[in-house]
């Protein structure tokens, strides 16, 4: 009998405003688990290794939230929250799962948990690549998949063209900058602090600027317009990109952080949409898992190796311990973190 | 020697507001041409048979107009205006042109003219299909091409889906309605008069409404949302379509008549663009000649025959004589015409 405290990150209260605030989550250590003897009932016992802190998690906190692809994961008060995580199997009665196998998907944030079966879209992870498990929720996880698959499927990038990448210091944007440079494009990238501007340059951006202190439209026009727009923000930035677009530009609509919840003000409206007709622009909204067919195998045979070889760079903002993750998530919404926010829960 | 009066439709004055108004054009018969003996100097003498009156022609009237694909055709005061037309060769020193050959492209609106060579994108017309020449500037001309090629390339239509077609009584929209019905979709169509509503039903629309007296959003939502949007208007109608869109809808951005020149008011802004991300919408602006490669041969082997067989229906608003075309064009901008506005200049 190995009795162990099972730390859990619980949903404590629905935040009034957007984002996670102090008191939204609660770390709890009251549960005890017997790692050797807890009955599996045909399932498997897993240990949490690494966790991803993502902005979209707030969407799971609203009781009114009903149109999301994650609806079934909506948080319940007093229960562990769910997030992208890497787990390892300790014991298993599931035929396809062996002790020591690693997986990535959205899982409950408990140090240990027993589940009947692996949920849909669970990705089995290789064990021989030599990169940290935390990378599988970042550069080799959903953010990396989004950047790599979205770019491959929709950018139609041609050497010599110009790309504009928003949130270029974040986990998706920093990968997109590198994809664009590998395809021979000039890259303009934006983020919200001077520290992030330097980080974007280190990822290869030719022109990097702080959108809080510079005029986006002026910069795009000075650089001669754009052929590919990677949109993570929407609002006035999207409007500027429409205005500065070249003919037949491709707009990859990955997110609209500035527009979510904006009911008035400049980020709530788009004035330049007619450019879609005038300039024959293609604008594509997409969800990464709609691209899994045809891209996922390529991703996992290609990207972890590129990361291991240093060909694709990444930056992590690491928090140690499940109990410290709430602060990391609050930082994410304040924009104070630099790099992909990950939590290391255990070292195997 | 056959001396003939050569009627010409000249550009007389730049309209102050949008559209063509009385005095914008001037019909002139002062020129005399010798049809037998006028020197060709290596070119060919053509006779004008049928002319297309199109809303986009106003774009050629502005001296400030500089970003159009038609820039080289911008109208000059005192010179014949240019429009889509069907012509027949009377005499020719061009090796590839024989007397009796018919062609369609943008040509000067003169009853007779001599040109050195056929301009780029000139379409040679078949002579054995048994449909009127006027159809080659309508259902078998650019409006038909736009509907047929745009739908084939971008609609990704699946049987049982729902399409929403704006300006459904016009030459493009009425063809799109029929394409959608042939693919097994439910079709919702809108136009600006009750007479046009009846016309749209005759083209096969399942739900047809007058947008001036009905609420577009209410109708789209009552019908359960849309999978394909054929946009000829933009503005508030586009906003309603975004709100009523189903997941993974395709928006074919053919035109934004309501948004052109709108600098304030509801048609100047879009509030629901975030649906592109939330619903994985693809929005494509396109120009028909970018689709010629891969579609033009198919179009001319398929569509004239379908029209001749009555499989594709069309409605024309015919004006006879080049001198009467100004009135037809004014009607076009007032929205008083029903069906494709064409001018029959001569019967061969």
């Amino acid at each position: 009998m190995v009795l162990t405290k099972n730390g859990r990150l619980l949903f404590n209260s629905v935040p009034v405003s957007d984002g996670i605030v102090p008191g939204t989550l609660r770390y709890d250590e009251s549960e005890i688990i017997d790692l050797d003897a807890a009955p599996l009932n045909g399932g498997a016992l897993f240990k949490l290794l690494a966790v991803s802190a993502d902005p979209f998690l707030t969407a799971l906190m609203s009781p009114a939230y009903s149109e999301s692809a994650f609806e079934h994961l909506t948080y319940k008060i007093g229960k562990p929250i769910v997030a992208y995580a890497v787990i390892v199997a300790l014991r298993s009665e599931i035929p396809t799962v062996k002790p020591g196998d690693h997986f990535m998907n959205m899982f409950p944030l408990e140090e240990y948990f027993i589940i009947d079966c692996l949920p849909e879209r669970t990705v089995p992870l290789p064990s021989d690549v030599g990169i940290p498990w935390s990378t599988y929720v970042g550069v080799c996880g959903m953010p990396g998949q989004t950047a790599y698959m979205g770019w491959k499927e929709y950018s139609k990038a041609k050497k010599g063209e110009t790309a504009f990448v928003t949130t270029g210091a974040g986990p998706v944007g920093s990968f997109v900058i590198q994809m664009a440079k590998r395809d021979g494009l000039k890259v303009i990238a934006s983020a919200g602090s001077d520290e992030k501007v330097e980080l974007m340059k280190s990822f290869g951006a030719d022109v990097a600027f702080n959108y809080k202190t510079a005029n986006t439209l002026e910069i795009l026009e000075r650089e001669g317009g754009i052929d590919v727009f990677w949109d993570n923000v929407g609002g006035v930035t999207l409007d500027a990109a429409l205005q500065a677009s070249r003919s037949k530009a491709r707009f990859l609509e990955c997110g609209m952080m500035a527009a979510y919840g904006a009911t008035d003000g400049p980020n709530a409206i788009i004035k330049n949409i007619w450019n879609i007709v005038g300039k024959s622009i293609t604008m594509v909204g997409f969800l990464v898992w709609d691209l899994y067919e045809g891209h996922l195998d390529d991703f996992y045979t290609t990207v972890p190796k590129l990361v291991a070889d240093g060909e694709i760079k990444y930056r992590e903002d690491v928090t140690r311990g499940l109990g410290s993750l709430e602060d990391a998530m609050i930082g994410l919404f304040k924009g104070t973190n630099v790099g992909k926010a990950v939590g290391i829960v255990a070292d195997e």
Side-chain angles (χ1 to χ4, degrees), chain A residues 142-279:
Chain A
M142 197 187 65
Q145 290 169 9
T146 302
Y148 184 88
M149 298 181 192
W151 183 265
K152 288 233 162 191
E153 182 73 17
Y154 297 119
S155 75
K156 300 190 195 309
K158 287 184 283 291
K159 196 177 167 181
E161 289 188 327
T162 298
F164 173 36
V165 182
T166 55
T167 64
V172 176
S174 61
F175 200 142
V176 173
I177 290 172
Q178 296 175 78
M179 292 292 287
K181 289 310 297 177
R182 291 172 75 87
D183 280 349
L185 281 74
K186 180 171 97 172
V187 175
I188 307 168
S190 66
S193 76
D194 292 344
E195 184 184 4
K196 289 177 181 176
V197 167
E198 293 309 309
L199 188 56
M200 293 190 291
K201 287 181 185 167
S202 78
F203 287 127
D206 301 286
V207 179
F209 68 96
N210 179 348
Y211 71 86
K212 291 177 179 170
T213 55
N215 183 307
T216 300
L217 180 60
E218 271 178 24
I219 289 170
L220 298 184
E221 290 189 332
R222 188 186 70 207
E223 297 298 329
I226 61 175
D227 302 288
V228 183
F229 176 45
W230 187 283
D231 191 6
N232 272 320
V233 296
V236 292
T237 308
L238 171 55
D239 241 358
L242 283 162
Q243 194 166 337
S245 167
R246 291 181 184 154
S247 179
K248 298 183 188 173
R250 288 77 66 195
F251 279 44
L252 286 76
E253 295 298 328
C254 181
M256 295 196 184
M257 286 289 283
Y260 296 144
T263 51
D264 56 19
N267 277 322
I269 58 169
I270 293 293
K271 293 180 175 177
N272 296 323
I273 195 76
W274 54 271
N275 285 280
I276 287 186
V277 175
K279 297 175 181 167

Side-chain angles (χ1 to χ4, degrees), chain A residues 265-298:
Chain A
N267 277 322
I269 58 169
I270 293 293
K271 293 180 175 177
N272 296 323
I273 195 76
W274 54 271
N275 285 280
I276 287 186
V277 175
K279 297 175 181 167
S280 297
I281 295 168
T282 298
M283 193 181 263
V284 184
F286 64 96
L287 290 172
V288 64
W289 44 80
D290 289 330
L291 301 176
Y292 275 9
E293 196 182 327
H295 288 287
L296 197 65
D297 289 347
D298 171 38

Side-chain angles (χ1 to χ4, degrees), chain A residues 110 185 258 281 311 340:
Chain A
E110 307 176 273
L185 281 74
I281 295 168
E311 295 272 324
K340 170 74 186 109

